[in-house]
Amino acid sequence: MLTTRTRKRVTLKTVSITPMRPRPNPRTLLACLGLVLTQLVWTQASISEQRPLAGERVRLVVGFGAGGGYDVYARMLAPHLEQETGATVVVENWTGGGGVVALNRLATDDTEGLTLMLVNGPSAVMGQVLGNEGVRYDVSAFTWLGRVFAEPSVVLASPVSPYRSLADLTSADLPVRWASAGKTTTAGTPALVSQALKLRSEVIIGYKGTSESALAALRGEADLVAMSATSARAQAHKNGLVPIAVVSHERISLLPEVATVAEQINLTPSQNRWIDYGITVMGLGRSLATSEHVSPERREYLRRVVKKILTDTTVIREAAAQGRPIEFGPPSELLASINRALANENEPTRGELRHVILEKFNP
Amino acid sequence: MFDAYLQGVQSLMAMDVLLAVAAAVPIGLVFGLLPGLSGLTALAVLMPLVYGMEPLVGLSFLLAAHAVVYTGGSVTTILLGIPGSPPNAATLMDGRPMALRGEAGRAIGAALVASALGGLVGMVALLALLPFLQPVIVHLGSPEVFALALLGISYIAIIGHGDLFKGLAAGGFGIFLSCFGYQDITGVPRFWSGSEYMLDGFRLVPLVLGLFAIPEIVDLAVSKRQQFRIMPDSVSADRLRHGMREALIHRWLLLRAAWIGVLVGLIPGVGGDTAPFVAYGSAKQWARDPARFGTGCVEGVIAPEASNNAKEGGALVPTLALGLPGSAGMVILLGGFLLLGLQPGVGFLDHHTNVAVALALVLAIANVLAVIVMLAAVPIVVRLLDVRGELLAAPLLVLVVLGAYAVDENTMDLLFVAVFGFLGYCMKSLAYSRPALLLGFVLGPTLETYLHISLQAYGASFLLRPGVMVIVLLIVGGFAWPAYRRLRLRRKGDRDAPC
């Protein structure tokens, strides 16, 4: 019995010992686990640091209705913002007051960069400069993230008018009539060009957008119309309107045969400042901004993200295929232009601008 | 040209295009059935879906959904007295009284056939005008837009049922309400009282829902009577057929109304919402017995519905020919063209006549298909509504609130639904014309803006333009001829009367 027991014990011992590896020390195990957890937490923290908006809900606001140009741009950019930040990006249309309501709300937003807005730069600045009723924002206080696209304005003549160059306009016997949707449409180009060239102009406003203004010129109801370069090229090709001048420092690739204002007329510095002002304001284009209430780290992160998306060649190609070009402009450049456009110190002064754009050419 | 027309027909016959139309029609009808949601909302919601589609497939999908919204809206208008979309408000004047009289089926049958035939007239107009589009549109300028708005506003005196003073007062109040917010010609807001919401003035959808839906809902909720109940047998197949036949009997009225729709749609700036009111006013003006209008006569349903659907064909004309949208809906549709890689404008028809022809045919097919779908759906809708008025009021109120909120997602719109609801209830109780108020509201800004533009561009001589003179003659003739006819009838009656 004893022998059997002993053998059994021995056998048991043999069985239990043979496959056994050195037993890990519980302390070592705990240490390893701690190390792994620390590594995980550190990695996670590092990822969060790199993508601080991951898992958040970001609003991409447009101040105009669904289906319009700004809305389409925003919906095109939203998936790229999502991919880059890891956030859920939702496009929202905060309509009212031609974008003023959305800008007012952005000014008081305190969501730490979770509300972005695709801003109509020229319209936002002109609203502030001209002291439009309802404006409660300060464009220079917004956190600007980058310009998506900007293009200069182009002056087009009616095919039934006698005008084919700026020289024709300056020597006109009768007042020239411009068609426009509003006084500040295309940054007030009709008034600014008229002031710079000392034209006898009348700006007829009230048309429903660029298309109807173009139709007015096509009918001969107005002699001239100003619009963005892309629309101008389309109107020239589609409807036979005649582009006579680009309000820009240099010629543009969309309409290479059309001369700039400076190429056609020798302007004195006092005349030129009106053209310069128009160029500066139109240069603000469609830009991305967020509220001023955002930490410097978040601001820099958002700027990096926006720059990465808007300079990505795949994104640019995809956007161009949809007829929505992208041409990134850095925030520093934007802010400098905004400060110039606000006319706090530079000429023309706000008072002069109000007189010229709101009163002088609007009988 | 004939080859291009043939190609257009062939492109339409592709299975994916037909499927897109078949899918879009029920969607558009649902948008129409829900109070407050318009064709504009349908286009904005559906636009992202077409990205990546073949151009003709995507455009057919959008156009078909947009074109049939008013067809669905007419059914809600007649059955509930709530305009499915703002332009359906004109159908309310006679459609609702017919329904309350137990003739809902007759009214719906007439409305559906008028809508379909109106859509067909729109297609014919589009196809016929394709070769002459540019000169036609270029010769219709701001003075003509002003004159047409004047023609529309002159109908305030006609559509106000009964008391002329009350009609004019309601119309005048509508013009007053339209003066709030940004003025187009100065860019300066009026009467905005420092409220951001009021920068854009009062909105159309809360106004329509408040004026027309809330009083009906209040009546449903507080009245124990059965008078608001739509009985299933009032929309029996026989009654629907009867209404459909009547639309065909009044074919000249239908054609005239449809052409009014085409004309209003054709001229960018007038605004498509005006067409059904002008068509209604014209029908009443030229009727043998204008007093029947407003009491539930079928002509008052046929005229606005025919013009509603026809105006889409008219609005497509400047959109395709010049790249200039003829209505607010066409603005979004134009975005759809660009999204799908097509750029409408003068050159467009040189290279894409087949697309234009195919789209004209899509209009026709969608309108006919919508009638078939609605004929099948009406009994189901009526069965859903066959409950006591008090029980129906709550879900209807929910739909109205959702419809008002869905447009801009602005809670202020809900407040104004309530405010205009109170106004609408008072107006209904005191027999002031709510459609006259709506017409004044819609046309007030057009009248002001285009008078200003016409004076600036042409001076007072704009009144001597041939188009303006023709429209002014129509206005004067429109008032003088019925008066002359009534006078002649009275004299004849005096002569025939026994001494």
Side-chain angles (χ1 to χ4, degrees):
Chain A
M1 281 291 285
L2 256 175
T3 323
T4 317
R5 267 183 199 163
T6 316
R7 199 182 299 143
K8 246 185 185 174
R9 202 175 293 140
V10 169
T11 314
L12 276 172
K13 256 188 176 175
T14 314
V15 169
S16 62
I17 286 169
T18 312
M20 215 172 135
R21 294 193 177 98
R23 213 175 186 184
N25 185 339
R27 282 185 187 167
T28 317
L29 257 179
L30 271 176
C32 286
L33 195 65
L35 201 67
V36 169
L37 279 175
T38 314
Q39 176 69 22
L40 273 174
V41 170
W42 183 82
T43 312
Q44 193 58 41
S46 162
I47 289 170
S48 304
E49 212 169 89
Q50 283 168 5
R51 307 179 83 195
L53 299 183
E56 299 276 9
R57 184 178 181 276
V58 172
R59 287 170 169 151
L60 179 52
V61 173
V62 282
F64 308 97
Y70 277 81
D71 183 65
V72 173
Y73 251 106
R75 287 176 201 282
M76 181 185 77
L77 293 175
H80 299 292
L81 275 167
E82 265 191 359
Q83 197 182 351
E84 200 55 44
T85 58
T88 304
V89 180
V90 183
V91 176
E92 292 189 8
N93 302 89
W94 292 356
T95 56
V100 169
V101 171
L103 287 163
N104 286 346
R105 281 177 69 183
L106 184 72
T108 55
D109 179 83
D110 58 358
T111 56
E112 179 64 9
L114 295 181
T115 306
L116 312 180
M117 181 171 170
L118 185 61
V119 179
N120 176 342
S123 166
V125 165
M126 294 302 272
Q128 188 176 335
V129 169
L130 301 177
N132 285 356
E133 290 189 72
V135 170
R136 291 173 188 143
Y137 58 81
D138 175 6
V139 275
S140 62
F142 287 138
T143 302
W144 292 94
L145 305 175
R147 192 191 62 206
V148 181
F149 182 62
E151 53 184 345
S153 56
V154 174
V155 177
L156 297 112
S158 161
V160 295
S161 80
Y163 310 119
R164 292 294 175 268
S165 69
L166 293 183
D168 291 341
L169 298 180
T170 52
S171 58
D173 296 328
L174 294 170
V176 289
R177 294 163 307 166
W178 299 72
S180 181
K183 289 175 182 173
T184 57
T185 312
T186 58
T189 298
L192 294 176
V193 170
S194 300
Q195 177 71 8
L197 304 187
K198 298 181 177 168
L199 301 178
R200 285 168 61 211
S201 287
E202 283 176 9
V203 185
I204 306 170
I205 64 168
Y207 292 102
K208 293 187 176 78
T210 306
S211 300
E212 217 195 336
S213 308
L215 180 59
L218 201 60
R219 287 166 178 155
E221 207 166 281
D223 304 308
L224 301 167
V225 64
M227 59 186 73
S228 68
T230 310
S231 303
R233 190 174 73 151
Q235 287 298 338
H237 287 176
K238 284 192 309 185
N239 296 333
L241 291 181
V242 187
I244 59 172
V246 182
V247 186
S248 169
H249 291 304
E250 50 201 34
R251 292 192 182 206
I252 52 173
S253 58
L254 279 175
L255 295 161
E257 70 286 0
V258 183
T260 64
V261 176
E263 279 181 87
Q264 296 185 53
I265 307 275
N266 278 329
L267 297 172
T268 63
S270 72
Q271 287 176 298
N272 199 38
R273 64 197 173 120
W274 297 100
I275 299 295
D276 268 347
Y277 185 79
I279 294 170
T280 305
V281 176
M282 283 301 283
L284 299 173
R286 296 166 192 236
S287 299
L288 279 165
T290 185
S291 150
E292 62 179 299
H293 309 295
V294 61
S295 64
E297 298 78 33
R298 185 63 61 89
R299 181 187 64 208
E300 290 315 311
Y301 170 71
L302 286 170
R303 282 179 176 171
R304 274 200 310 277
V305 166
V306 167
K307 184 179 178 183
K308 188 170 178 196
I309 294 170
L310 297 180
T311 51
D312 184 331
T313 48
T314 318
V315 177
I316 294 170
R317 248 201 320 272
E318 183 193 308
Q322 291 182 39
R324 310 278 165 198
I326 289 177
E327 208 176 279
F328 176 69
S332 54
E333 213 174 85
L334 261 179
L335 209 55
S337 296
I338 286 169
N339 286 329
R340 270 204 307 281
L342 284 178
N344 287 324
E345 293 160 10
N346 313 41
E347 288 192 326
T349 63
R350 284 192 185 192
E352 286 177 312
L353 283 165
R354 279 184 198 136
H355 171 64
V356 167
I357 294 175
L358 299 181
E359 294 159 12
K360 189 169 178 181
F361 300 103
N362 297 283
Chain B
M1 193 59 145
F2 181 73
D3 284 350
Y5 276 65
L6 210 61
Q7 277 174 15
V9 177
Q10 279 173 348
S11 350
L12 184 75
M13 288 303 131
M15 186 52 78
D16 44 0
V17 177
L18 293 175
L19 276 176
V21 174
V25 166
I27 298 173
L29 289 173
V30 170
F31 270 92
L33 281 166
L34 295 174
L37 297 184
S38 62
L40 203 66
T41 322
L43 280 178
V45 170
L46 298 177
M47 175 77 95
L49 303 183
V50 301
Y51 182 64
M53 285 187 188
E54 282 291 312
L56 187 57
V57 178
L59 289 172
S60 302
F61 181 74
L62 290 177
L63 185 62
H66 178 64
V68 303
V69 165
Y70 308 112
T71 309
S74 66
V75 174
T76 315
T77 310
I78 292 166
L79 289 179
L80 297 172
I82 299 172
S85 57
N88 287 119
T91 310
L92 199 72
M93 289 182 270
D94 281 282
R96 185 61 177 157
M98 284 180 78
L100 294 178
R101 221 168 43 206
E103 294 179 345
R106 187 176 154 226
I108 290 173
L112 293 180
V113 169
S115 298
L117 294 180
L120 290 178
V121 171
M123 174 207 71
V124 171
L126 178 57
L127 288 179
L129 286 171
L130 274 180
F132 324 102
L133 292 176
Q134 201 185 0
V136 168
I137 294 158
V138 166
H139 281 94
L140 297 170
S142 297
E144 284 75 22
V145 176
F146 166 73
L148 270 179
L150 198 65
L151 174 68
I153 214 104
S154 71
Y155 287 131
I156 282 178
I158 295 166
I159 63 174
H161 181 61
D163 195 331
L164 178 66
F165 167 76
K166 286 184 174 177
L168 290 174
F173 191 59
I175 294 175
F176 169 68
L177 290 179
S178 74
C179 291
F180 284 68
Y182 282 120
Q183 187 191 18
D184 288 342
I185 51 179
T186 60
V188 176
R190 293 182 291 208
F191 313 130
W192 69 294
S193 311
S195 154
E196 281 183 353
Y197 178 85
M198 289 308 296
L199 281 172
D200 290 325
F202 297 113
R203 317 296 204 266
L204 181 62
V205 170
L207 180 87
V208 170
L209 289 178
L211 277 185
F212 297 98
I214 298 296
E216 293 301 323
I217 292 172
V218 170
D219 277 344
L220 278 172
V222 300
S223 174
K224 298 278 182 210
R225 288 169 296 170
Q226 291 293 303
Q227 69 175 76
F228 299 108
R229 196 161 172 181
I230 303 296
M231 307 305 286
D233 62 342
S234 72
V235 285
S236 62
D238 272 353
R239 285 171 191 262
L240 284 168
R241 266 200 299 274
H242 179 47
M244 292 164 83
R245 262 198 309 274
E246 277 198 284
L248 296 175
I249 290 167
H250 292 99
R251 55 188 172 276
W252 295 115
L253 166 72
L254 192 152
L255 272 177
R256 198 173 63 220
W259 278 107
I260 287 173
V262 169
L263 183 66
V264 170
L266 197 69
I267 306 176
V270 182
D273 292 353
T274 319
F277 291 99
V278 175
Y280 182 92
S282 160
K284 183 174 175 182
Q285 196 173 37
W286 294 93
R288 281 177 196 283
D289 184 8
R292 286 170 52 243
F293 278 75
T295 60
C297 78
V298 78
E299 294 96 314
V301 172
I302 293 168
E305 284 307 317
S307 69
N308 241 343
N309 288 45
K311 74 176 191 300
E312 297 308 322
L316 256 181
V317 172
T319 311
L320 293 176
L322 299 169
L324 301 169
S327 68
M330 290 298 149
V331 175
I332 298 188
L333 194 69
L334 193 63
F337 272 94
L338 300 176
L339 191 70
L340 296 168
L342 294 174
Q343 195 158 50
V346 171
F348 180 78
L349 292 173
D350 298 339
H351 306 290
H352 301 290
T353 310
N354 58 332
V355 175
V357 171
L359 288 179
L361 295 173
V362 164
L363 266 185
I365 292 174
N367 276 297
V368 173
L369 196 60
V371 172
I372 296 167
V373 174
M374 279 319 294
L375 284 175
V378 163
I380 302 166
V381 175
V382 171
R383 214 162 292 140
L384 284 173
L385 300 177
D386 185 26
V387 291
R388 291 209 330 264
E390 310 95 279
L391 298 179
L392 198 57
L396 279 180
L397 191 61
V398 171
L399 281 181
V400 166
V401 166
L402 285 177
Y405 186 71
V407 180
D408 279 335
E409 296 178 11
N410 192 332
T411 44
M412 287 292 281
D413 285 342
L414 304 184
L415 174 71
F416 280 100
V417 168
V419 170
F420 290 123
F422 179 71
L423 176 69
Y425 193 78
C426 293
M427 288 181 77
K428 192 181 174 191
S429 308
L430 299 170
Y432 278 84
S433 169
R434 290 172 290 166
L437 187 153
L438 182 59
L439 189 57
F441 182 78
V442 169
L443 283 177
T446 311
L447 210 60
E448 182 187 24
T449 303
Y450 287 92
L451 173 63
H452 172 86
I453 292 176
S454 303
L455 281 171
Q456 263 203 286
Y458 304 94
S461 65
F462 83 85
L463 289 166
L464 300 175
R465 281 168 64 96
V468 175
M469 288 172 75
V470 167
I471 298 170
V472 169
L473 276 177
L474 277 176
I475 297 172
V476 174
F479 280 96
W481 172 249
Y484 169 72
R485 206 172 52 182
R486 274 196 295 277
L487 190 71
R488 216 172 54 168
L489 283 172
R490 200 179 302 149
R491 278 189 187 156
K492 197 178 166 206
D494 287 348
R495 267 206 311 273
D496 295 347
C499 298

